[in-house]
């Protein structure tokens, strides 16, 4: 179906509500004794030639729905300006022509459309603690003990190892790579942080335990009081989401960053699933676009065994974001609509092994980065490609996973592109050891280092400052 378009004045300044089009019609004659003042009826009698009727002062409407366009009864409450992003799936269905702005951002409260106020010129981004600078002595490795999900053994009902993040950190401590005071402590993302991408309607749905049970695929969660679900299930996921956002800024500032958690690539702005309740990858990129000067292009390299349909739906038709996705074609989620957002799609067969897998990853990572040089790479490094994983269906060895991460980091380092890594899926107990071994290998090869964080990769912010300085010097020489 062809996308609906709106007048240029609307699309250029979406926070300005359009006036109703003049439709000259005769007025009924005035009755004697009609009330005067604010309650008076509209003026009666014909208008002077050339004069047009303007829209009411309060709640002007967007374009009217065309006759026969479908969609039934209006569901969105008081009509407002048209949706500014054009993300009205299925025409004038449940996300129709008229969307209601919510909060300081230019946002639709009912449909999945999200445009930040800063991006559209509607104001400054909200204040957040997630972008506060950590101590310079810290590694750009983000973690919090709050990542781990433990409550009455319920976490064992899902094949996901809900304590693997703490195990990764313990392995790195045992190898003397890091210590507690050298880790960046992740902070929980607030509702205001989440609303940069998520709709209020979706966040309200998470206040129902059965919704969270469906997303996490742990049925007994549906019978828990929601305050328990918030504290024991969703808070760890919000903290990991905050960690991904923090790691995005660290990557730009220091050249690389690793969030030991995160990678919830099945969650989009208005829908969760597959143990993913918050769209941390989308949030990290949107935060960078809004707040970090010089970051205007991003590449997502998603090497989890499953298709990353969440961020794909969020960045559908967004030319600033290039998505490469390598996944088992036969498993969850099989989202055909989301696949339209993938610029470089690599679909794998059951049981794909090291040689074929690594050859395809190397070829397509190089191709993706040659096709578009981004300002940031977000690398979703799922370990569910491991041989024997109950959900991934591939057959890559532990050494193959370590080599895969090496290939991606070498490609980023050779091009001096900042890279953010998140750990995503992995449904075997041994994946924590493999993640730790991969991080140690990257360090041993010199691909990650505390010193490299400040000088090894030139950040877009620094490049922008250099360009601005060069322009100032040019202007001075011309005077």
């Amino acid at each position: 179906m062809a996308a609906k378009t709106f007048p240029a004045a609307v699309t250029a300044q979406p926070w300005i509500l359009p006036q109703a089009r003049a439709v000259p019609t005769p007025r009924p004659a005035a009755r004697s004794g009609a009330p005067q003042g604010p309650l008076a009826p509209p003026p009666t009698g014909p208008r002077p030639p050339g004069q047009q009727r303007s829209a009411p002062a309060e709640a002007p409407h967007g374009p009217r729905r065309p006759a026969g366009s479908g969609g039934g009864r209006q569901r969105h409450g008081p009509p407002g300006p048209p949706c500014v992003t054009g993300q009205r799936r299925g025409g004038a269905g449940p996300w129709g022509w008229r969307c209601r702005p919510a909060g300081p951002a230019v946002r639709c409260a009912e449909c999945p459309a999200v445009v930040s106020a800063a991006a559209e010129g509607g104001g400054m981004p909200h204040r957040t603690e997630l972008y506060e600078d950590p101590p310079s002595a810290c590694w750009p490795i983000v973690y919090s003990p709050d990542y781990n999900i433990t409550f009455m053994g319920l976490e064992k009902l899902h094949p996901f190892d809900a304590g693997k993040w703490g195990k990764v950190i313990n392995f790195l401590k045992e190898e003397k790579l890091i210590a507690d005071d050298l880790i960046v402590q992740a902070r929980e993302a607030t509702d205001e942080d989440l609303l940069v991408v998520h709709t209020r309607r979706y966040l309200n749905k998470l206040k129902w335990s059965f919704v969270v049970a469906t997303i996490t695929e742990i049925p007994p969660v549906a019978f828990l009081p929601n305050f328990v679900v918030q504290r024991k299930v969703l808070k760890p996921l919000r903290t990991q989401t905050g960690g991904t956002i923090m790691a995005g800024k660290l990557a730009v500032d220091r050249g690389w960053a690793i969030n030991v958690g995160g990678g919830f690539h099945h969650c989009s702005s208005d829908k969760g699933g597959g143990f993913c309740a918050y769209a941390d990858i989308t949030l990290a990129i949107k935060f960078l676009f809004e707040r970090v000067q010089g970051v205007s292009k991003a590449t997502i390299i998603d090497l989890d065994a499953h298709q990353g349909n969440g961020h794909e739906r969020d960045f559908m038709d967004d030319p600033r974001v290039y998505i490469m996705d390598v996944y088992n074609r036969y498993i969850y989620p099989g989202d055909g609509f989301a696949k339209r957002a993938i610029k470089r799609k690599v679909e794998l067969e059951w049981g794909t092994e090291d040689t074929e897998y690594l050859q395809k990853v190397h070829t397509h990572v190089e191709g993706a980065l040659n096709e578009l040089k981004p300002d940031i790479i977000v690398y979703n490094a799922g370990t569910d490609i491991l041989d024997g994983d109950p959900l991934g269906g591939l057959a890559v060895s532990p050494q193959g996973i370590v080599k895969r991460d090496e290939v991606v980091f070498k490609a980023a380092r050779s091009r001096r592109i900042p890279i953010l890594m998140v750990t995503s899926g992995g449904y075997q107990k041994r994946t924590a050891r493999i993640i730790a071994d991969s991080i140690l290998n990257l360090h041993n090869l010199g691909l990650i280092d505390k010193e490299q964080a400040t000088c090894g990769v030139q950040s877009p912010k620094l490049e922008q400052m250099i360009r601005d300085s060069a322009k100032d010097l040019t202007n001075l020489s011309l005077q």
Side-chain angles (χ1 to χ4, degrees):
M1 180 179 293
K4 303 178 183 65
T5 58
F6 299 100
V10 174
T11 56
Q13 292 182 307
W15 60 91
I16 298 177
L17 304 183
Q19 289 190 336
R21 187 173 58 182
V23 182
T25 54
R27 299 278 187 174
R31 293 178 299 174
S32 60
Q36 303 297 318
L39 299 179
T44 58
R47 290 185 300 279
Q51 180 179 335
Q52 294 182 340
R53 181 175 61 198
S54 61
E58 303 96 36
H61 292 189
R64 294 183 180 274
R65 188 190 303 273
S69 63
R73 183 171 58 88
Q74 176 69 30
R75 298 173 51 190
H76 293 178
C83 177
V84 298
T85 64
Q87 297 185 27
R88 292 173 299 280
R89 301 172 194 162
W95 301 301
W97 280 58
R98 297 171 184 167
C99 299
R100 191 168 67 221
V106 179
R107 182 190 318 282
C108 171
E110 302 293 344
C111 79
V114 176
V115 175
S116 70
E120 293 297 329
M124 295 296 293
H126 74 280
R127 185 186 180 282
T128 180
E129 294 182 352
L130 301 180
Y131 265 26
E132 293 181 2
D133 292 327
S136 58
C138 289
W139 286 77
I141 295 176
V142 186
Y143 170 74
S144 168
D146 291 338
Y147 280 14
N148 303 291
I149 301 174
T150 54
F151 183 68
M152 297 173 57
L154 286 177
E155 69 280 358
K156 297 178 182 178
L157 298 177
H158 191 281
F160 192 85
D161 181 2
K164 77 172 183 179
W165 309 287
K167 296 174 186 176
V168 173
I169 292 297
N170 288 336
F171 287 134
L172 295 177
K173 288 179 182 177
E174 290 174 4
E175 299 293 337
K176 310 299 183 185
L177 179 68
I178 58 174
D180 286 333
D181 58 347
L182 297 178
I183 301 171
V184 177
Q185 292 295 316
R187 298 180 177 181
E188 180 182 356
T190 65
D191 273 7
E192 199 168 18
D193 295 325
L194 297 172
L195 284 169
V196 169
V197 165
H198 289 292
T199 62
R200 173 64 70 181
R201 183 181 183 183
Y202 173 70
L203 296 183
N204 286 339
K205 284 183 180 179
L206 298 180
K207 296 176 182 177
W208 294 89
S209 296
F210 76 89
V211 173
V212 181
T214 302
I215 291 171
T216 59
E217 301 171 347
I218 306 176
V221 168
F223 302 101
L224 296 176
N226 191 256
F227 76 89
V228 174
V229 174
Q230 293 290 331
R231 185 182 310 154
K232 295 296 184 178
V233 179
L234 291 180
K235 181 178 179 180
L237 301 183
R238 285 193 297 268
T239 306
Q240 292 189 45
T241 297
T244 302
I245 296 170
M246 295 169 68
K249 181 174 184 295
L250 280 169
V252 173
D253 289 344
R254 305 195 186 185
W256 66 274
I258 296 172
N259 181 16
V260 176
F264 305 132
H265 64 157
H266 297 308
C267 186
S268 62
S269 63
D270 67 327
K271 185 178 181 181
F275 207 80
C276 302
Y278 302 105
D280 67 320
I281 291 176
T282 305
L283 280 159
I285 293 173
K286 293 269 189 176
F287 264 68
L288 289 170
F289 284 169
E290 288 183 7
R291 296 169 182 267
V292 179
Q293 187 178 16
V295 178
S296 60
K297 295 176 293 182
T299 290
I300 299 171
I301 298 177
D302 195 333
L303 301 187
D304 188 274
H306 300 81
Q307 176 198 352
N309 60 320
H311 58 72
E312 289 162 8
R313 283 179 170 265
D314 285 336
F315 291 117
M316 185 72 65
D317 301 322
D318 190 333
R320 301 172 299 174
V321 180
Y322 184 105
I323 299 175
M324 168 184 163
D325 202 347
V326 182
Y327 56 90
N328 184 337
R329 69 167 72 225
Y330 300 109
I331 61 175
Y332 175 89
D335 190 336
F337 176 82
K339 288 179 183 180
R340 293 164 46 190
I342 304 173
K343 301 295 194 300
R344 189 171 285 261
K345 177 173 59 178
V346 184
E347 296 186 323
L348 302 174
E349 300 293 327
W350 287 107
T352 299
E353 298 181 349
D354 287 23
T355 303
E356 179 185 353
Y357 180 81
L358 291 173
Q359 185 272 327
K360 287 185 175 180
V361 166
H362 181 270
T363 298
H364 289 284
V365 166
E366 291 291 325
L369 297 179
N370 288 337
E371 191 171 333
L372 173 72
K373 183 179 179 181
D375 302 311
I376 182 74
I377 295 170
V378 179
Y379 172 36
N380 197 45
T383 49
D384 50 0
I385 64 172
L386 182 64
D387 186 18
D389 189 281
L391 300 181
L394 303 179
V396 180
S397 69
Q399 296 75 22
I401 293 175
V402 171
K403 183 65 178 178
R404 174 201 68 175
D405 295 349
E406 179 185 323
V407 166
V408 177
F409 270 79
K410 277 185 175 178
R413 180 73 189 272
S414 66
R415 293 168 174 80
R416 302 170 67 83
I417 303 171
I419 181 169
L420 157 63
M421 170 177 159
V422 290
T423 58
S424 200
Y427 306 94
Q428 299 183 70
K429 297 296 183 184
R430 55 183 177 150
T431 58
R433 177 75 254 185
I434 296 170
I435 294 169
D437 286 344
S438 179
I439 294 173
L440 291 167
N441 180 63
L442 295 174
H443 176 250
N444 293 336
L445 293 174
L447 295 173
I448 62 172
D449 198 288
K450 275 199 296 184
E451 285 71 28
Q452 180 222 329
T454 57
C455 63
V457 177
Q458 189 160 306
S459 72
K461 184 160 45 175
L462 181 58
E463 291 178 352
Q464 183 68 36
M465 292 171 61
I466 293 172
R467 287 195 293 268
D468 292 344
S469 299
K471 184 186 292 186
D472 292 341
L473 290 171
T474 303
N475 292 338
L476 285 173
S477 64
L478 293 175
Q479 291 177 355

